[in-house]
Amino acid sequence: GAVVSQHPSRVICKSGTSVKIECRSLDFQATTMFWYRQFPKQSLMLMATSNEGSKATYEQGVEKDKFLINHASLTLSTLTVTSAHPEDSSFYICSAPDGRGREGTDTQYFGPGTRLTVL
Amino acid sequence: GDSVTQMEGPVTLSEEAFLTINCTYTATGYPSLFWYVQYPGEGLQLLLKATKADDKGSNKGFEATYRKETTSFHLEKGSVQVSDSAVYFCALSSYSSASKIIFGSGTRLSIRP
């Protein structure tokens, strides 16, 4: 099946620094990718929709200036957590639909996640 | 808006027991329904899916049937194994949600040997 990778898998940073997380679709193109955040023992919360060639769409309550998203190509989306604080520590997961079905029926492939720890 | 409600956990069963994890949804139109599984320390994996009413998704002994009349997509397995211990997420995606995946809260399943 299709594969989505994320890099890095884990990152520890100091408060106030910025961290970039990459999401790549390895064997298919994705004009849209999604970024989620998962707190321990909780469900995935959608943060934003990354759109190739245009601005990302953020969910209500997500600060777009703090979580910068760039969809540089049909296989790469990046999430940059700017001026990170301890409360940004979380598990960040991206996904990409394979585009083979009508909208809403695409299979979504998830990356393995990136665990961010802000000291 | 669209939403998914699933059975709260944790659920603890003995090996070879029958498993049901309930899931109901609210959506406009005709969503696709999914079960995802997250094994300890791993990423999310698609377990099974159904894209229209009365479809049955199945994989690894797990089954779920898309019931439009009851807006449900309950996950079942006839005989669970220790290796099935994981967190299970019911989810939907629809045209009205622009292909976003809407997740339920997750159900943690532990299987005793």
Side-chain angles (χ1 to χ4, degrees):
Chain A
V3 176
V4 173
S5 69
Q6 278 184 244
H7 178 80
S9 57
R10 291 177 180 271
V11 57
I12 300 172
C13 69
K14 293 182 179 180
S15 188
T17 61
S18 294
V19 174
K20 180 185 284 188
I21 302 170
E22 293 185 348
C23 176
R24 293 182 185 273
S25 56
L26 296 185
D27 51 1
F28 66 102
Q29 294 182 335
T31 56
T32 301
M33 291 184 176
F34 300 97
W35 286 97
Y36 296 84
R37 184 173 179 176
Q38 186 181 28
F39 290 103
K41 298 187 178 182
Q42 294 189 29
S43 189
L44 283 75
M45 300 301 296
L46 179 65
M47 298 175 65
T49 303
S50 174
N51 303 298
E52 191 269 337
S54 64
K55 291 182 179 179
T57 306
Y58 291 83
E59 296 300 302
Q60 193 171 8
V62 178
E63 298 177 62
K64 61 181 181 181
D65 294 332
K66 180 164 189 62
F67 298 100
L68 299 180
I69 291 173
N70 182 30
H71 201 132
S73 73
L74 289 171
T75 59
L76 173 64
S77 174
T78 59
L79 168 68
T80 301
V81 183
T82 62
S83 187
H85 290 281
E87 57 265 31
D88 298 324
S89 298
S90 192
F91 195 53
Y92 292 87
I93 303 171
C94 70
S95 74
D98 64 5
R100 295 178 184 176
R102 60 180 169 82
E103 192 170 16
T105 67
D106 292 341
T107 295
Q108 293 263 1
Y109 294 94
F110 286 80
T114 297
R115 186 163 301 284
L116 170 63
T117 303
V118 184
L119 303 177
Chain B
D2 297 351
S3 66
V4 176
T5 303
Q6 69 179 97
M7 179 174 165
E8 286 201 19
V11 173
T12 302
L13 297 172
S14 296
E15 203 165 21
E16 299 183 3
F18 183 86
L19 168 71
T20 299
I21 301 178
N22 290 336
C23 171
T24 57
Y25 67 89
T26 302
T28 53
Y30 303 95
S32 293
L33 302 174
F34 308 87
W35 277 99
Y36 284 87
V37 58
Q38 188 174 35
Y39 296 103
E42 298 185 17
L44 223 60
Q45 299 175 29
L46 177 65
L47 180 60
L48 54 85
K49 71 174 184 178
T51 58
K52 60 183 187 297
D54 300 325
D55 268 3
K56 178 185 284 187
S58 61
N59 185 24
K60 299 181 180 180
F62 290 90
E63 292 183 341
T65 301
Y66 189 142
R67 300 286 188 201
K68 186 170 181 290
E69 64 276 14
T70 55
T71 62
S72 65
F73 193 55
H74 304 320
L75 183 68
E76 296 182 335
K77 186 173 185 180
S79 177
V80 292
Q81 306 299 314
V82 173
S83 57
D84 294 326
S85 299
V87 181
Y88 292 82
F89 293 93
C90 186
L92 69 79
S93 175
S94 70
Y95 181 81
S96 63
S97 70
S99 293
K100 300 175 195 176
I101 298 280
I102 308 297
F103 286 92
S105 56
T107 302
R108 184 173 299 275
L109 174 67
S110 296
I111 306 300
R112 293 189 299 255

